[in-house]
Amino acid sequence: MRTFYFLYFLTVLLENKKNATIKKMNSHLFYDRQEAGGILAQKLLPFKNQNPVVLAIPRGGVVIGKVVSNTLRCPLSVILVKKIGSPFNPECAIGAVGPDGQVFLEETMATDPQEISRIQKQISERKKEWGVGEIPDLQNKTVIIVDDGIATGATMAAALLWVKSQKPQMIVTAVPCSLITDSYNLPRL
């Protein structure tokens, strides 16, 4: 499997240019997710002939994923992952639960097992409520995972771990903005 490309346009924190796995694009402010998806889709055109599959992380990633999949003329599926919030600040992710219930948790963090069970149940309920179908076979495919941004990297890490287990040929993560400017928070896959 090839290396990962982290595409983003707006760096807010942490300027670390040593990491070679990042392809930094020009800074840009977006009017909305549609515009962000359009610009991102143009940057992803080199993958069009590789018959990619786009996986979108709800909620904001779905709008972007639809624009990307329409531009690349490829299938779009939703990958349900949910962050595990810090007990002290629920908006700050300390980990995430993947679509199969697998838990990605920062090594130094501990969380209540009941909270993880609650989130796993919530993913199952959302799958039914939102009518999310099965993700197509990803083996030997180019998989593009999109979201509307990366803050801590926890939900993207959970998605990456699950996608990697499906044995794709290549994984591309594509987000229009990120607080992470290196892959230190994402697992070495």
Side-chain angles (χ1 to χ4, degrees):
M1 184 169 38
R2 290 192 189 161
T3 188
F4 295 87
Y5 297 90
F6 300 94
L7 306 177
Y8 63 94
F9 300 93
L10 179 63
T11 302
V12 180
L13 298 174
L14 304 173
E15 193 60 36
N16 179 352
K17 297 179 183 174
K18 293 186 280 186
N19 195 316
T21 62
I22 296 175
K23 288 195 171 194
K24 183 175 179 180
M25 304 302 167
N26 296 328
S27 293
H28 188 88
L29 294 176
F30 306 106
Y31 179 73
D32 59 13
R33 288 181 177 98
Q34 289 262 351
E35 180 189 7
I39 293 169
L40 193 61
Q42 293 304 307
K43 301 295 183 183
L44 294 168
L45 281 174
F47 298 102
K48 184 176 183 174
N49 294 329
Q50 295 181 23
N51 298 317
V53 174
V54 174
L55 299 181
I57 298 175
R59 298 185 179 169
V62 175
V63 173
I64 292 169
K66 183 165 177 48
V67 174
V68 170
S69 72
N70 286 344
T71 302
L72 301 181
R73 295 188 166 132
C74 66
L76 168 67
S77 287
V78 172
I79 182 168
L80 289 174
V81 292
K82 179 113 175 69
K83 76 176 171 192
I84 301 169
S86 163
F88 308 108
N89 180 0
E91 289 302 311
C92 179
I94 60 171
V97 177
D100 59 352
Q102 182 181 359
V103 176
F104 167 78
L105 197 59
E106 293 291 336
E107 291 177 22
T108 59
M109 300 294 176
T111 191
D112 181 4
Q114 290 178 334
E115 176 67 3
I116 292 174
S117 294
R118 184 188 69 75
I119 292 170
Q120 289 168 327
K121 183 179 176 188
Q122 196 173 40
I123 287 174
S124 292
E125 289 169 355
R126 283 186 178 173
K127 188 174 183 178
K128 292 174 192 167
E129 179 183 328
W130 293 352
V132 174
E134 293 300 314
I135 294 173
D137 181 22
L138 303 177
Q139 189 168 356
N140 297 319
K141 301 252 173 99
T142 295
V143 179
I144 301 172
I145 306 172
V146 297
D147 201 354
D148 60 350
I150 297 177
T152 65
T155 55
M156 185 60 75
L160 284 168
L161 288 171
W162 183 83
V163 169
K164 183 179 183 243
S165 74
Q166 305 304 300
K167 302 186 183 346
Q169 180 181 349
M170 179 173 34
I171 302 172
V172 178
T173 61
V175 296
C177 59
S178 176
L179 295 177
I180 295 175
T181 61
D182 62 31
S183 59
Y184 77 95
N185 273 2
L186 297 176
R188 291 283 177 200
L189 304 172

